[in-house]
Amino acid sequence: MLQSWKKRSGRSYQALGRRLELSHSTVHRFCTGKQLPQDAALVERLATALGADRQEVEILRGVWRLAREAPRLKPEAAPDELPRDDLPRDIADFTGRAEELGALLKAGGTPSGVWTVDGMAGVGKTTLVLHAAHQLKEGYPDGRIFLDLLGHTAGVAPMAASDALKALLSAAGVPEDGIPAEAGRRASLWRSALARRRMLIVLDNAVDAEQVMPLLPGATPSLMMITSRARLVDLDGTGTITLGELSAEDALAMFMKIADAGPPADLGDAEETVRLCGYLPLAIRIVTARLRHRLTWTPGHLNEKLRQEHRRLAELQAGSRSVIAAFATSYGKLGGPARRMFRLLGQIPGVDVDLAGAAALTGQPVEAAEPLLEQLIQAHLLQRPSADRYRFHDLVRDYARAVLAEQEPQEQRQAALGRIVEHYLRVADHAAALIEPSRRPNPVSGPVAAPALHLADRQEAICWIERELPNLIAAIESAASAGLLVHTWQLARSLWHFFLLRGDPRDWIHTHRLALSAVQQLGDREGEAETLKNLGVAYWLSDDREGAIALHHQALVLDCWNGDPVGQAKTLTHLGYIHHRAGEYAVAADHFLLAVMLYREVDDPVGGNRGLSGLGDSLRRLGRAERAMPYLLEALSLSRSAADPWGEIQARTGVALAHLEAGEAGLACRHLVRALELSRLLGDRLSESTVRTALGATWLEVGDAGMARRHFTRALTLSRQSGDRWGQTEASAGLKAARTRQQ
């Protein structure tokens, strides 16, 4: 410091010596740090001679006191000369965190550094840092300082940066009368105090970057580690570790180590305990403490309580430790709009939500919702698993729902649920129209807002539904529970074509049973007829033929009651396919013929070509190839002119099989290859399975059992994915025939 001031002053050592009445060699030793001035008055005279202002003089006096009182190494240090070490004790049962611990230990081998460790409440930030500090402490002989900044301590205001600096300077050995009153001068003195010392400093529980910024060291061989529930994104040049919950394996290991009683009678109970704790270290410590103090309890007994979502958080408290209290402190730090966003996110159906869904939930535009979500992420009250997805940790979700029930009026909760279900319905209806352009839209009673999310094409629509499917199913369940009956059945209906293409029949049946109950409560006969036939197709593909027929007969009665010829034609077409697959080709042909007549009456070429495909294939199966081919070719022509790729797949498959029966395998293969291209383009697993089974039969006919086997194998995989039992049977039979041919 003196050397730099000397250069700034431009004065020589001789000139300074004359001014101070000292030899120029003495002044040289002072300025180069080889000798310490004898008293404070000489320090002040020297600083004044070098042109220092009043603040610089005060800083120099503080540094001089620090240097004068710094402990000197002796062969045997007296107890009062030992370096300060106020680190809290290490945790003997520390578990996991190998990667994060390795990063901190590696930082201890560098000349200097500042590391921040952030994460949600209870995730083990302080435990990790203290464990690392105890392993590193021998490398920092000038002292180890621990300071709680009180950033998230219930009922206590965060420590002001000026007060923190005073505590740090005192810990570094600066006497109280040498600590400046002004915060900026304290920060300067703190940096000077660390300049040549090798100290380890742990700043725990920081509230934000503004609190920490003045406490950062300058150039120093010391290491500083900071913990915070907030992401300290404003701190430049620092290493950052963000802690998430433990892995399932580490959580179980931690539970076993703390319980210290060996494996429980049922390891599965222990695994469920840590899962119900959300793999959160604080929660695991609480439940193990409760088990230790209730010797008659077992993990299985405790799990019965933890499984009850409304009681789970109440069970996660022991003594002064409480998961609720930890979350409440973080929640209390938020502003009003962010707190409302947090509460309402507890209302989301499903496991996560995108930006558009979160905005809909709160009734805000996307531009207003996004900064609030970002605040929750910075506070570690919300997670962002991908660029535009938001989700809660399981226990934080429980807390959000508890706060929602306590602080948000029932009508506001109902309105929020209605908004997000309406959002899902609008986007799902938009997606359904892209997947099947010929579908009849959902009936509406008033003006309909445009969907908040625009989907560009059919493929994007399928991808959106695949991504959101768990949330859409949960939305249907929530709507049904809340009495949002129109939303319940219409949202399920919007998913029908997706289920037909690539969905799980179990989800299909579950959602459509809820839809059927809702539409019956509404007394909507047209909606009931639509839901019955859509549910019937799911029964059919699940190999419940009798149930499928019964539902379609109920739908047909309602279609006639409603005077709905299009609905009648659709129901008859479905019945035609059901009887066709059962081998009842004459009955199937009668249903298809009636459907074609009705479609022609209402001038519906798309429905007509699908009925014609079924009619032609049924006649082919009856051995009437000369009558079948004209219907199949007409269906192919209509589907192409109507730009109906699904209908074209059915028609080409039927034409191909007719050619195959006529011994024209080459023609059959050309139609099937095109049908395969279309089914893959549509992402239609059901149709692709049917086409590949037909291709397998074609290759088997021409004697290439290897190629046939590849198609049958793929058909079997696809039919299993779509839950098509009949398709599985057909593909399995073909595969068996191909294997036999290869032997």
Side-chain angles (χ1 to χ4, degrees), residues 165-182:
L165 284 165
K166 182 177 181 181
L168 290 170
L169 286 168
S170 178
V174 178
E176 187 170 352
D177 61 356
I179 299 176
E182 196 268 327

Side-chain angles (χ1 to χ4, degrees), residues 416-743:
L417 178 62
R419 286 191 297 268
I420 193 166
V421 173
E422 176 69 20
H423 160 73
Y424 282 137
L425 175 58
R426 289 202 310 269
V427 182
D429 204 41
H430 171 43
L434 291 169
I435 293 171
E436 179 52 88
S438 67
R439 76 186 288 269
R440 291 195 285 185
N442 282 319
V444 294
S445 57
V448 179
L453 186 66
H454 176 72
L455 304 171
D457 53 29
R458 191 174 191 281
Q459 186 58 42
E460 192 170 330
I462 291 174
C463 288
W464 181 82
I465 294 180
E466 281 188 324
R467 184 172 62 247
E468 294 288 351
L469 188 59
N471 300 324
L472 293 168
I473 293 170
I476 293 169
E477 294 168 340
S478 297
S481 298
L484 300 173
L485 302 178
V486 173
H487 292 81
T488 301
W489 86 265
Q490 290 191 357
L491 185 51
R493 178 178 181 266
S494 296
L495 299 180
W496 181 75
H497 284 93
F498 172 82
F499 283 136
L500 183 63
L501 291 177
R502 59 201 308 155
D504 186 327
R506 292 169 298 182
D507 293 334
W508 185 349
I509 291 170
H510 170 59
T511 56
H512 279 66
R513 281 176 175 167
L514 293 174
L516 183 59
S517 174
V519 79
Q520 287 173 341
Q521 290 179 65
L522 287 167
D524 183 344
R525 288 176 175 159
E526 290 187 2
E528 184 178 355
E530 183 75 7
T531 305
L532 282 166
K533 67 192 70 171
N534 292 347
L535 179 58
V537 175
Y539 277 33
W540 170 49
L541 293 175
S542 300
D543 211 22
D544 183 358
R545 175 177 173 274
E546 296 305 319
I549 290 175
L551 290 174
H552 277 88
H553 284 168
Q554 293 178 50
L556 189 58
V557 170
L558 288 171
D559 288 328
C560 295
W561 182 281
N562 297 329
D564 180 8
V566 175
Q568 293 174 50
K570 180 178 178 181
T571 305
L572 288 166
T573 302
H574 287 188
L575 282 167
Y577 281 114
I578 294 169
H579 287 292
H580 182 280
R581 279 198 172 184
E584 300 166 347
Y585 302 118
V587 178
D590 289 341
H591 283 87
F592 284 129
L593 182 59
L594 287 172
V596 169
M597 293 169 63
L598 286 168
Y599 278 130
R600 283 175 173 169
E601 283 182 12
V602 297
D603 192 24
D604 184 344
V606 172
N609 75 63
R610 297 176 183 184
L612 286 166
S613 292
L615 176 58
D617 201 54
S618 296
L619 292 172
R620 177 188 68 81
R621 293 277 193 168
L622 289 167
R624 303 172 187 173
E626 71 288 347
R627 291 185 58 194
M629 188 61 87
Y631 288 128
L632 292 168
L633 291 174
E634 184 181 357
L636 179 57
S637 175
L638 282 172
S639 63
R640 295 180 69 182
S641 61
D644 174 23
W646 192 86
E648 185 177 346
I649 293 168
Q650 308 311 306
R652 284 190 182 277
T653 304
V655 169
L657 291 172
H659 280 303
L660 186 62
E661 286 185 354
E664 299 166 334
L667 285 173
C669 192
R670 282 199 289 273
H671 280 290
L672 290 173
V673 167
R674 176 56 181 159
L676 181 61
E677 290 174 354
L678 289 171
S679 62
R680 297 183 70 182
L681 183 65
L682 295 181
D684 183 350
R685 291 174 182 161
L686 186 65
S687 293
E688 185 181 347
S689 172
T690 302
V691 173
R692 285 189 179 275
T693 297
L695 273 167
T698 303
W699 284 108
L700 203 57
E701 181 68 22
V702 299
D704 191 337
M707 184 66 77
R709 183 174 177 175
R710 283 195 285 273
H711 282 294
F712 285 131
T713 300
R714 181 59 179 158
L716 182 58
T717 299
L718 290 167
S719 59
R720 284 172 174 165
Q721 289 175 349
S722 63
D724 179 8
R725 299 288 181 81
W726 182 85
Q728 293 174 45
T729 300
E730 292 289 296
S732 295
L735 185 57
K736 182 179 180 181
R739 286 171 175 164
T740 301
R741 189 75 62 86
Q742 278 187 308
Q743 290 174 356

Side-chain angles (χ1 to χ4, degrees), residues 123-140:
V123 82
K125 302 177 291 295
T126 303
T127 301
L128 169 66
V129 166
L130 286 177
H131 189 67
H134 278 279
Q135 294 193 44
L136 292 168
K137 62 189 296 184
E138 298 306 322
Y140 293 90

Side-chain angles (χ1 to χ4, degrees), residues 340-353:
R340 178 175 180 268
M341 172 65 83
F342 176 80
R343 291 194 301 271
L344 291 181
L345 285 175
Q347 190 86 319
I348 60 172
V351 295
D352 62 5
V353 70

Side-chain angles (χ1 to χ4, degrees), residues 306-450:
L306 294 176
R307 289 189 199 107
Q308 302 175 48
E309 183 179 311
H310 65 284
R311 289 188 55 184
R312 186 178 303 146
L313 290 177
E315 297 296 332
L316 294 176
Q317 50 187 340
S320 62
R321 291 184 294 187
S322 165
V323 170
I324 292 178
F327 293 162
T329 307
S330 296
Y331 174 73
K333 297 290 182 183
L334 301 171
R339 285 200 298 270
R340 178 175 180 268
M341 172 65 83
F342 176 80
R343 291 194 301 271
L344 291 181
L345 285 175
Q347 190 86 319
I348 60 172
V351 295
D352 62 5
V353 70
D354 63 5
L355 176 57
L361 183 72
T362 56
Q364 295 175 298
V366 167
E367 296 76 14
E370 190 169 19
L372 298 177
L373 293 168
E374 190 61 33
Q375 288 182 43
L376 298 180
I377 290 169
Q378 295 301 323
H380 285 290
L381 286 170
L382 191 66
Q383 298 172 348
R384 182 164 50 197
S386 59
D388 186 28
R389 307 299 299 178
Y390 304 91
R391 67 182 296 273
F392 280 130
H393 179 275
D394 289 348
L395 296 181
V396 178
R397 181 198 58 221
D398 292 346
Y399 178 71
R401 289 177 177 173
V403 175
L404 177 73
E406 179 183 336
Q407 300 182 11
E408 204 74 24
Q410 170 62 27
E411 60 271 18
Q412 296 297 326
R413 302 200 299 271
Q414 184 79 354
L417 178 62
R419 286 191 297 268
I420 193 166
V421 173
E422 176 69 20
H423 160 73
Y424 282 137
L425 175 58
R426 289 202 310 269
V427 182
D429 204 41
H430 171 43
L434 291 169
I435 293 171
E436 179 52 88
S438 67
R439 76 186 288 269
R440 291 195 285 185
N442 282 319
V444 294
S445 57
V448 179

Side-chain angles (χ1 to χ4, degrees), residues 60-296:
L60 185 63
R61 289 173 65 181
V63 173
W64 173 78
R65 289 192 188 97
L66 189 64
R68 184 187 65 177
E69 297 172 11
R72 296 176 180 172
L73 294 177
K74 296 181 180 179
E76 294 183 4
D80 59 351
E81 293 179 314
L82 293 174
R84 183 185 180 107
D85 186 349
D86 55 10
L87 293 176
R89 69 183 181 89
D90 195 6
I91 301 296
D93 50 38
F94 183 87
T95 308
R97 306 297 193 196
E99 182 178 346
E100 295 88 348
L101 180 61
L104 292 178
L105 296 181
K106 184 177 180 180
T110 59
S112 64
V114 176
W115 279 77
T116 65
V117 178
D118 60 72
M120 64 182 288
V123 82
K125 302 177 291 295
T126 303
T127 301
L128 169 66
V129 166
L130 286 177
H131 189 67
H134 278 279
Q135 294 193 44
L136 292 168
K137 62 189 296 184
E138 298 306 322
Y140 293 90
D142 296 327
R144 282 79 67 174
I145 300 174
F146 178 90
L147 180 63
D148 185 352
L149 297 177
L150 307 174
H152 295 87
T153 303
V156 180
M159 186 179 292
S162 179
D163 293 338
L165 284 165
K166 182 177 181 181
L168 290 170
L169 286 168
S170 178
V174 178
E176 187 170 352
D177 61 356
I179 299 176
E182 196 268 327
R185 292 166 61 194
R186 287 181 178 180
S188 180
L189 182 57
W190 168 240
R191 290 191 293 272
S192 298
L194 293 181
R196 295 187 181 181
R197 289 186 174 189
R198 188 167 177 81
M199 300 184 74
L200 178 61
I201 305 105
V202 175
L203 303 180
D204 189 40
N205 201 10
V207 66
D208 54 27
E210 184 178 357
Q211 181 191 35
V212 170
M213 196 86 70
L215 315 182
L216 300 182
T220 175
S222 297
L223 174 65
M224 178 178 284
M225 294 185 286
I226 307 166
T227 73
S228 178
R229 294 187 192 177
R231 291 182 175 173
L232 308 180
V233 294
D234 293 340
L235 298 185
D236 297 326
T238 63
T240 300
I241 293 173
T242 296
L243 283 189
E245 58 267 28
L246 292 168
S247 68
E249 294 77 13
D250 285 344
L252 181 61
M254 178 182 177
F255 177 89
M256 305 294 277
K257 187 180 290 187
I258 300 174
D260 194 29
D266 186 350
L267 186 61
D269 282 344
E271 291 173 336
E272 185 180 9
T273 299
V274 296
R275 180 183 62 79
L276 290 170
C277 288
Y279 308 117
L280 189 70
L282 173 62
I284 294 170
R285 290 191 180 280
I286 288 172
V287 297
T288 50
R290 297 191 68 187
L291 288 171
R292 282 200 310 269
H293 290 86
R294 290 170 173 80
L295 299 181
T296 60

